[in-house]
Amino acid sequence: RSWLARAMLHYVRGWDARAALGVDLFVANSAFVARRIAKTYRRDSLVLHPPVDVESFPMRVDKDDYYLAASRMVPYKRMPLIVEAFARMPERRLVVIGDGDDMDRCRRLAGPNVEFLGYQPFASLRERMQRARAYVFAAEEDFGITPVEAQACGTPVIAFGKGGALETVEGLGRAARPTGVFFESQTADAIVEAVRRFERDGAAIAPAACRRNAERFSNERFRADFRALVDDALERRRPREATAHAA
């Protein structure tokens, strides 16, 4: 089986490399993915961030005294890390929305300050996101939709500082109008330190700044940018087609 798998993967990689030579234009959903495309295919790509329905997440200025983590309970989302971090901060309240294979592990790690709501309908998720003091996000995503939705609600984000989050969150100490705090490693200790920094310096993060930042990824912006990208690609292709026909 191992030999067969290696042979098939070798064939697929070769087919993929040949197919990539015929691609006119690579489009990546983040600069993070664009770097992977460059490493794999030795090709540049244009970055077009995916659309986020920010209009369905109205801003709310008044916040309650809890942190929110909302995600599928799958390993790469690192939800147990967030739960473990808050178990070390019993004076702070964490609300967890989502379900999946890591739920049992999360429950074992949790203290009494962690509330599990399981799967929630959209209206409930939105309300919790609007009212949260901050949204905590520990995954390394290609882009990451939920941090943008949280910012649309005027809610700051405490995020792992790698992947798409670096493009969707304006970090405290890195931007004139910050919208969140980054932590540098996927560990409970790093999350604890980021929460403490947020509570110490987070007054610099304004709900209105979070909302403005989220609007960069609106459906309307995506449609306009996608249309411009396609029009430009077609315009650049026409001279090549004309030359081919003349030949």
Side-chain angles (χ1 to χ4, degrees):
R1 290 178 181 177
S2 175
W3 178 87
L4 180 60
R6 288 196 299 271
M8 289 180 64
L9 288 173
H10 176 75
Y11 170 78
V12 169
R13 281 193 293 267
W15 171 85
D16 185 57
R18 291 190 299 272
L21 295 175
V23 173
D24 290 300
L25 175 67
F26 280 91
V27 181
N29 67 349
S30 66
F32 180 61
V33 172
R35 288 190 292 272
R36 291 214 306 264
I37 292 173
K39 181 179 179 181
T40 302
Y41 298 110
R42 304 291 193 269
R43 294 280 299 274
D44 292 333
S45 54
L46 295 180
V47 175
L48 180 66
H49 293 123
V52 181
D53 187 11
V54 297
E55 295 307 314
S56 293
F57 293 85
M59 183 176 71
R60 178 169 173 166
V61 176
D62 57 311
K63 304 295 183 181
D64 291 344
D65 193 21
Y66 67 86
Y67 294 84
L68 175 68
S71 175
R72 290 177 293 120
M73 298 281 192
V74 293
Y76 87 94
K77 295 290 189 178
R78 302 298 181 96
M79 293 291 277
L81 278 182
I82 301 173
V83 173
E84 180 184 354
F86 277 85
R88 300 181 187 180
M89 300 182 287
E91 71 283 5
R92 296 173 176 89
R93 182 182 169 209
L94 175 68
V95 174
V96 178
I97 293 177
D99 205 350
D101 293 342
D102 274 349
M103 175 61 86
D104 288 342
R105 186 180 173 202
C106 286
R107 289 189 183 278
R108 289 195 300 270
L109 292 168
N113 61 321
V114 179
E115 179 183 5
F116 293 96
L117 300 182
Y119 169 79
Q120 292 291 303
F122 173 73
S124 176
L125 170 64
R126 178 178 59 190
E127 181 187 9
R128 293 283 184 169
M129 197 171 273
Q130 288 174 316
R131 292 166 48 203
R133 185 174 184 180
Y135 177 74
V136 187
F137 186 75
E140 180 183 332
E141 292 273 14
D142 291 346
F143 177 74
I145 297 290
T146 53
V148 179
E149 293 171 342
Q151 291 173 89
C153 295
T155 300
V157 176
I158 299 172
F160 176 47
K162 192 173 181 181
L166 289 174
E167 300 170 51
T168 61
V169 179
E170 299 291 336
L172 187 66
R174 306 183 184 187
R177 295 182 178 85
T179 65
V181 174
F182 291 121
F183 52 92
E184 301 305 319
S185 62
Q186 288 175 308
T187 63
D189 287 340
I191 295 173
V192 169
E193 178 55 35
V195 170
R196 289 173 177 165
R197 186 184 179 205
F198 170 74
E199 294 185 353
R200 184 178 65 245
D201 303 325
I205 302 174
C210 294
R211 176 72 190 186
R212 281 195 298 272
N213 187 53
E215 287 171 347
R216 295 191 294 128
F217 308 100
S218 69
N219 290 332
E220 293 76 11
R221 175 74 176 268
F222 173 81
R223 282 194 289 267
D225 289 350
F226 185 74
R227 186 178 297 112
L229 182 152
V230 172
D231 288 345
D232 181 67
L234 290 173
E235 190 65 30
R236 286 187 285 111
R237 185 181 177 88
R238 288 191 183 101
R240 298 201 304 268
E241 291 178 340
T243 300
H245 287 312

